[in-house]
Amino acid sequence: MRHYFVAREHNSDEFFEFGEVFRGENFLFKSCSDVFSKNELDYGSKVLVGSILNHSDIFSGKIMDMCCGYGTIAILLSRFIDAEYYMCDVNSTAVELAINNVTLNKSNIDTEKISCGNMFDGIEMEYDHIVSNPPIKAGKSNLLAFVDGSYSHLKVGGTLTIVIKKNLGADSLKKYLISLFGNAEVWERDKGYYILHAMKK
């Protein structure tokens, strides 16, 4: 799994494209061998995006897709929700792919707002919403650091919405969200994936 976080040089034949249809809309993604869910939009991200769209009336302003990978979540959301999108990932190859995929899908996302970095390191901006399919298997300490960073970078009234599998700690993460945000709810459960949502008050 380390390769999701450490970029390396790739040959041109390691890159490829695949298509996805989501809610009747066609998408095209460029990918490569060293990114998460390289061959298809992973199911957890689909559930996350679908759940956000089911609550689309609350999403506006600045939206950060943290741990964005090659850009699927923000790109899908931008097709349905008009907002100011930001994206960040620690892997420079994934970030390059995300920039490419914004162009491929003719998204209205400003590629200048796609950055490479270790979560919120060096970021001072506050967001209205943070969404993520975080790298749960990177360890509990990294996951809690992500949640802490999210809380610090949300405006008052801002929200954090993430996907996590039940067997990878959904219940304990919900308790941590409640301890930090003072609230948390499960928006959706689907094939073991939980969508957790919390608001900064």
Side-chain angles (χ1 to χ4, degrees):
M1 182 172 174
R2 177 176 166 78
H3 58 280
Y4 294 157
F5 309 100
V6 181
R8 65 175 179 84
E9 293 295 324
H10 293 83
N11 299 320
S12 59
D13 59 2
E14 292 182 86
F15 293 91
F16 55 90
E17 295 179 356
F18 68 88
E20 285 278 351
V21 178
F22 184 81
R23 293 203 173 186
E25 293 284 329
N26 293 310
F27 296 87
L28 181 64
F29 293 104
K30 185 174 182 180
S31 184
C32 77
S33 56
D34 282 348
V35 293
F36 171 68
S37 193
K38 62 182 180 180
N39 295 311
E40 61 182 358
L41 177 60
D42 71 285
Y43 194 77
S45 293
K46 288 182 181 179
V47 178
L48 174 63
V49 172
S51 189
I52 291 170
L53 293 181
N54 290 340
H55 297 82
S56 61
D57 57 309
I58 73 168
F59 286 88
S60 61
K62 292 179 170 65
I63 300 178
M64 165 59 87
D65 176 7
M66 181 55 71
C67 309
C68 68
Y70 53 95
T72 55
I73 292 171
I75 289 171
L76 263 65
L77 286 174
S78 69
R79 187 74 62 88
F80 302 94
I81 298 176
D82 184 20
E84 184 179 347
Y85 289 90
Y86 294 78
M87 302 160 70
C88 183
D89 197 274
V90 70
N91 187 307
S92 60
T93 299
V95 170
E96 290 173 10
L97 288 168
I99 291 170
N100 190 286
N101 287 329
V102 163
T103 302
L104 271 179
N105 290 279
K106 298 179 180 179
S107 172
N108 61 0
I109 296 172
D110 182 353
T111 56
E112 294 296 320
K113 295 175 180 176
I114 304 175
S115 61
C116 184
N118 182 18
M119 293 192 287
F120 295 96
D121 287 356
I123 294 177
E124 297 181 0
M125 182 178 292
E126 291 185 336
Y127 304 95
D128 297 285
H129 306 280
I130 296 172
V131 301
S132 185
N133 183 350
I136 306 297
K137 293 182 179 179
K140 185 176 181 179
S141 61
N142 284 316
L143 176 60
L144 298 186
F146 160 75
V147 173
D148 291 343
S150 296
Y151 184 84
S152 298
H153 288 81
L154 282 170
K155 300 176 182 178
V156 173
T159 68
L160 172 64
T161 311
I162 59 178
V163 59
I164 180 173
K165 294 192 79 172
K166 179 175 174 57
N167 64 349
L168 294 178
D171 291 335
S172 62
L173 182 57
K174 181 184 177 184
K175 291 178 181 177
Y176 188 75
L177 288 171
I178 291 172
S179 70
L180 183 60
F181 285 79
N183 66 93
E185 58 182 315
V186 179
W187 265 2
E188 192 166 347
R189 300 175 178 85
D190 189 332
K191 296 183 179 179
Y193 290 94
Y194 277 44
I195 306 303
L196 301 179
H197 176 82
M199 176 183 290
K200 182 174 181 177
K201 297 183 177 180

